[in-house]
């Protein structure tokens, strides 16, 4: 092997060693790179006996580099191959499947279309979590469109518009645009007029019962063949508010004999007597049905992909009739199942939660007993933890169960390292101390961060223990940060023994609070309020600060009142 060939072998061996090491995030392996090396360089084969020795030396030098140095060197030698590895890594990191035909669009555009009848419950987080993740993945676009064209049955709550945008911000997403359908009614009227001109719609004064009988029997409505001029005049009368609720509708002309009766000549516009709560829309009486309004908006805002519930498959089919009339291409659709949530006694329903608030059963949308995003936020759960849990559910057409434990696990990973520890005793039993224990206890603020220092807890003459932590008579117990005590003659006697008694497994370790200088705490939980007393340092914590009450769980400091500190329980 001459010097030129050796140099080529070393250069190619270095590239393959780096590829192997970076791809597997480990040391390069001589055996693993020999095959690709020889396959890419068939002229090396006559020297097969010598090449392993050359490669071994190169691999040794590569393995002496750090991972970052290997990656930097590979970028110098083979940038295209590194890009391929990075693309594979990115694909592996995606818990969500690829959007259908995403590569065929210049920009992936999606929409989150809430009904603003109240702040979001936990299940509502799935849509923004998934489309926000897709937006980031494809460098795309998404809007929030408030589908608020039903002033009566699903009457909008004026405070919900901002509340939902706040919930979206809490989850970590900012929409590229925000629309209110009730601002766009004239646009829907214009498209209805065009549809009438195309022969795709007609006005109908049948009662709901009459039309249902005709529809179910596959018979056309007697108004179906009205001339365009009459339909136009009657629709303009609808727009002018000349009909009462139920007196006249505009129907899309579909297939009256379609095998699915739900698709037969569906309603596009109806009359609603109840004024819209938004002043800007309060004069309208002729309102589009959701399927018409949503379909028009999806086209006009350039939506390329729609995610919707499996129960809304008929919506796509209805809208397809409208799209066919206008010659539009229908967006890609992903249907998914519903999210079912455990852990709450309150039903995950906006209307149910609203009723409980009105009846005084819940304090508000952020009551810890309510399955709402505002509740989770007040409890100290980060939006990122919710998004990750929702994304992990994927986009299956089957109904999925969301375990709150998955949100808790995600949140714990986010906050555990930065959250200091404290003691809180619930429904404490007071026990006197004897035997001259230390006057002050100094447990660490965080077991993994000695640099943060220790807490200074005055001990006093008595302590509070949780009832189940009170030892049997003559048994010993270790009070965290203080020492070993034996329960004798109704007193905890300090023994002075060292931590070895705990390591031997003979003594339980429990938390405690000083009886005299402790702070009264009311902890709000999903199942009701819990009273207790905490170490005095809790009184100095700032509102919104997180704390882990040892052996109890994480909590968020909500506020300090004259007679107590109020905290919201986060999770174990």
């Amino acid at each position: 092997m001459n010097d030129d060939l050796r140099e080529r072998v070393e250069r190619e061996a270095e590239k393959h060693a780096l590829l192997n090491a970076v791809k597997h995030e480990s040391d390069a392996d001589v055996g693993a790179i020999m095959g690709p090396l020889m396959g890419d360089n068939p002229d090396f084969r006559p020297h097969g006996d010598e090449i392993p020795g050359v490669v071994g030396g190169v691999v040794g030098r590569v393995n002496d580099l750090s991972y970052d140095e290997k990656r930097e060197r590979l970028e110098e030698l083979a940038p295209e191959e590194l890009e391929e590895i990075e693309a594979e890594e990115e694909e592996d990191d995606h818990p969500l499947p690829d959007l259908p035909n995403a590569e065929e669009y210049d920009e992936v555009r999606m929409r989150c279309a809430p009904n603003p009848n109240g702040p979001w419950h936990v299940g509502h987080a799935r849509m923004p979590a998934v489309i926000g993740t897709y937006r980031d993945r494809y460098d795309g676009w998404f809007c929030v469109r408030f589908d608020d064209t039903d002033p009566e049955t699903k009457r909008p709550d004026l405070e919900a518009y901002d509340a939902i945008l706040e919930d979206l911000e809490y989850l970590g997403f900012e929409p590229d645009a925000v629309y209110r359908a009730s601002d766009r009614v004239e646009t829907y009227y214009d498209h209805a007029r065009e549809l009438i001109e195309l022969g795709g719609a007609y006005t109908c004064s049948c009662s709901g019962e009459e039309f249902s009988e005709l529809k179910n029997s596959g018979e056309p409505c007697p108004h179906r063949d009205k001339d365009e001029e009459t339909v136009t005049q009657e629709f303009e009368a609808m727009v002018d508010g000349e009909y009462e609720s139920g007196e006249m509708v505009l129907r899309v002309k579909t297939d009256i004999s379609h095998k699915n009766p739900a698709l037969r000549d569906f309603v596009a516009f109806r009359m609603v007597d109840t004024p819209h709560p938004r002043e800007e829309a309060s004069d309208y009486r002729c309102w589009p049905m959701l399927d018409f309004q949503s379909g028009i908006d999806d086209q006009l805002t350039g939506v390329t992909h729609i995610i919707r519930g499996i129960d809304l498959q008929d919506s796509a089919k209805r809208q397809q009739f409208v799209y066919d009339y206008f010659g539009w291409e229908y967006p890609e659709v992903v249907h998914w199942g519903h999210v079912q949530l455990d852990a709450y006694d309150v039903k995950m329903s906006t209307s149910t939660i609203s009723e409980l608030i009105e009846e005084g059963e819940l304090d508000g949308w952020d009551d810890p007993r309510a399955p709402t995003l505002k509740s989770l936020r007040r409890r100290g759960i980060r939006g990122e933890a919710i998004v990750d849990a929702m994304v992990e559910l994927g986009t299956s057409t089957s109904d999925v169960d969301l375990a709150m434990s998955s949100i808790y696990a995600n949140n714990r990973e986010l906050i555990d390292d930065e959250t200091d520890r404290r003691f809180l005793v619930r429904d404490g039993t007071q026990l006197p101390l004897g035997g001259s224990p230390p006057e002050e206890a100094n447990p660490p603020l965080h077991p993994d961060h000695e640099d943060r220092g220790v807490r200074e807890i005055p001990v006093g003459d008595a302590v509070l223990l949780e009832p189940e932590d009170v030892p049997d008579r003559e048994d010993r117990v270790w009070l965290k940060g203080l020492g070993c005590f034996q329960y004798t003659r109704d007193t905890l006697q300090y023994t002075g023994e060292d931590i070895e008694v705990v390591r031997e497994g003979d003594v339980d370790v429990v938390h405690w609070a000083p009886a005299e200088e402790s702070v009264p705490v009311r902890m709000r939980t999903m199942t009701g309020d819990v009273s207790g007393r905490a170490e005095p340092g809790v009184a100095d914590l700032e509102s919104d600060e997180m704390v882990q009450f040892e052996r109890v769980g994480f909590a968020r400091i909500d506020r300090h009142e004259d007679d107590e500190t109020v905290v919201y329980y986060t999770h174990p």
Side-chain angles (χ1 to χ4, degrees), residues 94-122:
H94 293 319
L96 294 172
D98 292 341
L99 285 172
N101 303 314
E103 68 283 353
E104 297 181 10
Y105 298 91
D106 293 335
E107 182 180 48
V108 168
R109 295 172 68 89
M110 307 184 78
R111 44 81 161 171
C112 177
N115 172 20
N117 63 338
W120 275 344
H121 59 59
V122 177

Side-chain angles (χ1 to χ4, degrees), residues 188-199:
Y188 311 135
Y189 289 167
D190 288 342
H191 282 81
R193 293 178 180 113
E194 186 175 347
L195 188 61
I196 292 169
E197 291 177 7
L198 293 168

Side-chain angles (χ1 to χ4, degrees), residues 42 132 150 290 371 405 464 491 496-497:
D150 185 349
L290 179 60
S405 58
L464 299 169
T491 300
E497 294 169 281

Side-chain angles (χ1 to χ4, degrees), residues 132 246 370 434 488 494:
T488 181
Y494 181 62

Side-chain angles (χ1 to χ4, degrees), residues 185-488:
V185 177
E186 296 294 339
T187 297
Y188 311 135
Y189 289 167
D190 288 342
H191 282 81
R193 293 178 180 113
E194 186 175 347
L195 188 61
I196 292 169
E197 291 177 7
L198 293 168
Y202 64 94
T203 46
C204 170
S205 57
C206 292
S207 70
E209 197 172 290
E210 289 171 340
F211 186 83
S212 181
E213 290 179 5
L214 291 168
K215 177 185 72 173
N216 291 335
S217 61
E219 297 179 29
C221 163
H223 309 108
R224 200 172 198 263
D225 295 325
K226 285 180 184 176
D227 61 82
E228 179 188 325
E229 183 179 354
T230 301
V231 173
T232 298
Q233 289 175 350
E234 291 181 344
F235 178 68
E236 295 303 335
M238 289 177 67
V239 170
D240 292 339
E242 295 179 13
Y243 298 106
E244 295 181 358
S245 177
E247 191 176 351
M248 183 71 75
V249 298
L250 182 74
R251 295 188 179 278
V252 175
K253 193 179 293 185
T254 63
D255 178 359
I256 200 63
S257 60
H258 195 284
K259 62 181 180 180
N260 182 353
L263 306 185
R264 298 172 185 171
D265 288 14
F266 62 90
V267 175
F269 284 80
R270 82 292 200 197
M271 303 302 297
V272 179
D273 292 336
T274 306
H276 197 284
R278 292 186 67 227
E279 186 177 346
E280 301 91 329
S282 60
D283 289 337
Y284 291 114
R285 292 295 178 271
C286 177
W287 285 96
M289 298 295 285
L290 179 60
D291 283 337
F292 187 88
Q293 167 253 305
S294 177
I296 299 299
D297 280 335
D298 287 338
Q299 168 66 22
L300 297 185
T301 55
V303 168
T304 62
H305 292 77
I306 299 170
I307 298 179
R308 56 162 58 110
I310 191 73
D311 57 321
L312 296 177
Q313 293 183 81
D314 283 350
S315 290
K317 295 171 183 175
R318 291 190 194 100
Q319 291 171 341
Q320 185 66 61
F321 283 104
V322 177
Y323 274 57
D324 287 345
Y325 278 117
F326 288 122
W328 296 339
E329 193 77 26
Y330 198 74
E332 310 284 346
V333 181
V334 175
H335 287 108
W336 62 12
H338 292 289
V339 173
Q340 299 165 139
L341 184 66
D342 66 3
Y344 282 94
D345 294 330
V346 175
K347 182 181 178 183
M348 195 167 63
S349 157
T350 301
S351 58
T352 298
I353 297 167
S354 181
E355 288 173 9
L356 291 172
I357 292 171
E358 289 176 8
E359 294 167 2
E361 297 294 324
L362 294 174
D363 296 338
W365 291 95
D366 58 1
D367 189 305
R369 297 165 293 178
T372 62
L373 294 184
K374 294 197 178 303
S375 169
L376 296 187
R377 187 174 193 171
R378 193 165 189 180
R379 287 169 55 191
I381 293 174
R382 295 187 180 177
E384 181 182 349
I386 302 167
V387 169
D388 289 346
M390 290 295 182
V391 168
E392 287 295 333
L393 295 177
T395 57
S396 167
T397 55
S398 302
D399 289 349
V400 290
D401 294 319
L402 172 66
M404 287 301 296
S405 58
S406 64
I407 293 178
Y408 296 160
N410 292 343
N411 198 62
R412 192 179 301 111
E413 190 172 327
L414 294 171
I415 68 173
D416 181 68
D417 189 65
E418 63 190 48
T419 303
D420 288 339
R421 275 46 172 173
R422 300 286 176 175
F423 293 151
L424 169 70
V425 174
R426 299 159 294 181
D427 300 322
T429 299
Q430 181 169 326
L431 298 173
L433 300 180
S436 301
E439 294 182 358
E440 184 178 270
N442 299 116
L445 279 167
H446 196 292
D448 298 332
H449 296 282
E450 292 184 6
D451 56 307
R452 293 189 195 171
V454 298
R455 294 119 70 184
E456 298 174 351
I457 307 176
V459 177
D461 298 328
V463 297
L464 299 169
L465 298 185
E466 299 208 345
E468 60 268 27
D469 288 338
V470 176
D472 294 333
R473 294 191 180 279
E474 305 308 321
D475 280 354
R476 292 172 297 172
V477 66
W478 187 277
L479 303 189
K480 294 192 76 169
L482 186 55
C484 187
F485 292 79
Q486 184 173 27
Y487 188 41
T488 181

